[in-house]
Amino acid sequence: MKPTLSLIIPCYNEEESIQETHRRVTKVMEDLAFPYEVVYVNDGSRDGTAELLNAIQAEDKAVRLIHFAANRGHQVAVTAGLDYAQGEAAVILDADLQDPPEVIPEMVQKWQEGYQVVYGQRRSRQGESKFKLWTASAYYKLMQKLVGKNFHRDTGDFRLVDRRVVDAIKQMPEHARYLRGMFSWIGFKQAPVLYDRDKRFAGETHYPLKKMLKLAIDGIISFSDKPLFIPILLGILLGGVSGIGLLALLVRLILGLQSGLWWLAAWVTMLFALLFMVIGIEGRYIDRIYREVQGRPLYFVAETRGFDTPSEEK
Ligand code: UDP
Ligand code: MG
């Protein structure tokens, strides 16, 4: 039987959590009584994760397993899960039980009400540093400005997505993957489910500051061309300053006053202003090239009506 729900669980060095995760996920899914599959993506783990997953798979018909040949990162692991998932809807959750599987039934209910993206929104976060909370909050605000209103605060990758959304994401071949941005950008009917984000069940985060920063910057570059306007603005600003300076120097000249090196300063500023503007204009073209290379589809269809009805029928 084709599974109705696919759970996608990326795992990197999760030997301490994976069995408990599987136990809790299975419990929730059995209570839900839907045909389901659990797709584990082993993202090139170096510990005992692979063996544990093989053992889990050998005993449970609902388990599908993808072993990566090397570590490719969380976002790529989830992408592989979406590629292989067969369900009518997919739920993405972490292997460390920070996204509690017990929230899934509520997500499924929203899905059955007709929502195509049901995203988990954190009501609270356990065991995360003040620094992480603060940077996260500032970043979400920035991204809402850049990506748009669909970019939801306190929302990670934990979400349920309808088959149509999975197929839409599969049409986005970009290499710099920032899934939460992609899920926001594509649109569709979206609804939140609030949850309390738990502490990591065991082990350490695999998202140290450096990786977090890379992901954050990827998000901005993939979804916004606004940074490319900075040189144009700088150019206009500098041009204004140097214009005022040149005018003042002209007045001094008419009054017969000597200004010496100030002329040089004003002209150099003007040249820099022009240079910034030229760079800014080039930026517009680079943005064009980038959008074309990303190769995203022009549109996604959320629903069609009437195409199956023969128009000749009387
Ligand atoms: N993960 C992965 N590949 C990586 C890093 C992480 O598949 O290179 C998985 C990890 O096993 C977990 C999820 O992605 O299931 C989230 O990672 P983590 O918990 O380390 O990040 P955090 O929750 O601290 O942001
Ligand atoms: Mg985690």
Side-chain angles (χ1 to χ4, degrees):
M1 193 177 12
K2 234 185 138 193
T4 308
L5 277 179
S6 302
L7 306 192
I8 297 172
I9 308 185
C11 315
Y12 178 59
N13 295 347
E14 299 286 4
E15 63 181 4
E16 288 170 276
S17 312
I18 202 68
Q19 283 165 313
E20 176 64 10
T21 304
H22 189 67
R23 196 189 60 74
R24 266 177 63 185
V25 159
T26 305
K27 168 96 178 52
V28 169
M29 293 317 289
E30 276 171 0
D31 291 349
L32 248 181
F34 266 117
Y36 74 97
E37 62 177 0
V38 189
V39 182
Y40 286 102
V41 186
N42 168 24
D43 183 13
S45 299
R46 292 160 192 276
D47 62 353
T49 303
E51 289 71 31
L52 287 174
L53 283 174
N54 286 341
I56 289 172
Q57 195 275 328
E59 294 205 339
D60 188 341
K61 283 202 180 63
V63 172
R64 324 260 185 264
L65 242 179
I66 302 164
H67 289 293
F68 273 10
N71 178 250
R72 284 291 179 267
H74 171 237
Q75 300 285 303
V76 180
V78 173
T79 303
L82 291 169
D83 286 342
Y84 279 82
Q86 298 181 342
E88 282 311 303
V91 180
I92 301 163
L93 69 161
D94 286 354
D96 59 2
L97 290 168
Q98 283 199 282
D99 307 327
E102 290 73 21
V103 179
I104 295 173
E106 209 181 320
M107 290 182 159
V108 170
Q109 198 192 334
K110 281 255 153 64
W111 174 54
Q112 288 178 316
E113 286 168 21
Y115 291 100
Q116 292 160 304
V117 176
V118 186
Y119 54 93
Q121 195 162 38
R122 291 158 203 157
R123 194 187 293 133
S124 66
R125 293 188 186 211
Q126 304 287 317
E128 294 195 80
S129 66
K130 274 230 167 67
F131 177 75
K132 179 144 182 181
L133 293 182
W134 185 80
T135 46
S137 147
Y139 184 67
Y140 285 122
K141 279 195 193 121
L142 175 70
M143 287 304 283
Q144 261 169 353
K145 286 220 167 69
L146 297 179
V147 183
K149 282 277 165 290
N150 248 347
F151 196 88
H152 309 287
R153 195 172 47 83
D154 290 336
T155 301
D157 291 314
F158 183 32
R159 63 186 75 217
L160 178 149
V161 288
D162 183 75
R163 168 53 49 189
R164 275 193 190 267
V165 176
V166 175
D167 289 341
I169 291 290
K170 282 164 84 169
Q171 289 180 59
M172 292 171 75
E174 58 210 68
H175 273 213
R177 291 189 92 69
Y178 184 66
L179 287 166
R180 60 196 78 168
M182 292 161 72
F183 284 122
S184 314
W185 182 80
I186 52 175
F188 291 91
K189 271 185 84 178
Q190 309 214 357
V193 161
L194 290 177
Y195 75 104
D196 297 301
R197 189 157 172 88
D198 288 329
K199 272 201 196 84
R200 199 171 222 291
F201 179 71
E204 295 255 303
T205 175
H206 303 114
Y207 266 105
L209 193 62
K210 211 170 123 198
K211 261 201 204 168
M212 284 285 291
L213 253 159
K214 186 186 173 300
L215 187 69
I217 292 170
D218 266 356
I220 295 174
I221 298 177
S222 301
F223 288 94
S224 175
D225 61 347
K226 294 198 173 90
L228 285 173
F229 284 102
I230 293 171
I232 296 189
L233 287 180
L234 263 178
I236 292 172
L237 205 78
L238 275 183
V241 170
S242 106
I244 293 169
L246 282 171
L247 265 179
L249 291 175
L250 201 67
V251 171
R252 283 177 65 94
L253 188 73
I254 293 166
L255 294 179
L257 295 167
Q258 290 287 322
S259 305
L261 279 176
W262 281 106
W263 281 104
L264 187 66
W267 281 119
V268 168
T269 312
M270 182 56 92
L271 281 178
F272 265 104
L274 289 175
L275 202 62
F276 274 123
M277 278 190 239
V278 170
I279 292 172
I281 292 166
E282 283 182 355
R284 304 314 310 142
Y285 287 92
I286 291 171
D287 177 60
R288 275 286 170 87
I289 299 168
Y290 181 53
R291 304 285 149 207
E292 296 291 344
V293 171
Q294 264 183 329
R296 288 183 186 169
L298 292 177
Y299 57 84
F300 298 112
V301 175
E303 196 192 353
T304 54
R305 290 189 189 198
F307 279 99
D308 303 330
T309 331
S311 50
E312 298 294 299
E313 239 166 47
K314 288 196 179 108

